[in-house]
Amino acid sequence: MSDHLQLRSFESDAANHFAADGLPPMLPLSVAARPVPLDRKVDLAGRYAAAEDTKVRVKISAELRLLEAEYARLLRQIETEPAPSSHRSEMARKAARIRWDRSRA
């Protein structure tokens, strides 16, 4: 199903749900808010498998390598450790605990 048909299907489903709930109709989605295919790698892998021309396969494999490098770069940017809190935050947290303990007693 093409992206255009998926969007139309999504909009009609949303309109039906809004009408069933007695809500006003939904505004059409802007271009920026429309859903986009998130997994380009699967799409490219399928095109690579279906391609018969060697030149096309080379171009698709290059695109796949670039995409994997981009995924790796994005994953390296993710920080799993929480940022250290400032002295002011620690003092505020301590004061809140004191107030909380006083109000519970």
Side-chain angles (χ1 to χ4, degrees):
M1 182 183 285
S2 73
D3 291 342
H4 181 68
L5 292 177
Q6 286 178 339
L7 179 62
R8 290 289 169 222
S9 174
F10 172 76
E11 287 177 343
S12 67
D13 289 347
N16 291 339
H17 288 292
F18 276 84
D21 292 339
L23 298 171
M26 184 180 87
L27 295 174
L29 292 174
S30 69
V31 174
R34 291 181 180 181
V36 295
L38 297 177
D39 199 358
R40 181 154 167 74
K41 185 176 178 182
V42 172
D43 179 47
L44 286 173
R47 289 181 184 202
Y48 180 83
E52 294 179 10
D53 187 21
T54 305
K55 290 181 181 179
V56 173
R57 293 185 95 175
V58 168
K59 289 180 182 180
I60 293 173
S61 67
E63 182 70 25
L64 279 168
R65 284 193 304 275
L66 289 172
L67 193 60
E68 288 173 359
E70 180 69 17
Y71 286 161
R73 186 185 64 76
L74 290 172
L75 286 174
R76 280 194 303 272
Q77 290 180 353
I78 297 173
E79 296 180 13
T80 57
E81 296 295 322
S85 58
S86 67
H87 178 68
R88 181 177 286 203
S89 295
E90 291 297 328
M91 296 297 289
R93 192 174 292 119
K94 182 178 177 184
R97 272 196 302 261
I98 290 171
R99 286 191 304 272
W100 178 258
D101 291 341
R102 220 180 328 171
S103 67
R104 288 189 350 189

